[in-house]
Amino acid sequence: MSLNESLSPRFPVPAASFGRVKQLDSVATAVFFIWLGISVLMRIGWPWSLFGAGLIMIGHQAALWRLGEKMDGFRLVCGAVLLFVAVWGLLGMTWP
């Protein structure tokens, strides 16, 4: 068995689908870092920063779902947790 055969996936991924997912991942990462820079430079506070980051993460997963691609459960849960913590902070609730 050659090295290329051992590294190739058992179930080939269509090239068009892989390119689309990779491009969407790149756009989501760029938007995340742009949002991070804006929120730090404008000092908008932790709740709004986390809210924006959570929306970006969930929006990315929603776009993957809409395109019929496989979603990443970890990023989806992270986005939901960020949104929960952000709403908690925006409502001014304290930790028990």
Side-chain angles (χ1 to χ4, degrees):
M1 179 186 298
S2 70
L3 181 61
N4 286 338
E5 290 175 1
S6 66
L7 294 177
S8 65
R10 292 179 186 226
F11 304 103
V13 177
S17 174
F18 180 72
R20 188 170 53 182
V21 170
K22 187 174 179 180
Q23 185 178 17
L24 187 60
D25 286 344
S26 298
V27 168
T29 303
V31 170
F32 177 78
F33 282 114
I34 289 169
W35 171 249
L36 183 66
I38 289 171
S39 63
V40 167
L41 291 175
M42 295 186 67
R43 297 181 184 158
I44 62 173
W46 279 107
W48 287 108
S49 299
L50 295 175
F51 189 78
L55 280 180
I56 291 168
M57 292 179 105
I58 289 178
H60 176 233
Q61 297 308 308
L64 286 174
W65 174 73
R66 182 77 175 128
L67 291 172
E69 301 294 338
K70 184 179 177 188
M71 295 188 331
D72 184 8
F74 178 74
R75 288 186 185 180
L76 187 63
V77 170
C78 285
V81 168
L82 287 175
L83 280 179
F84 176 76
V85 172
V87 170
W88 188 287
L90 289 171
L91 294 176
M93 300 171 73
T94 58
W95 295 103

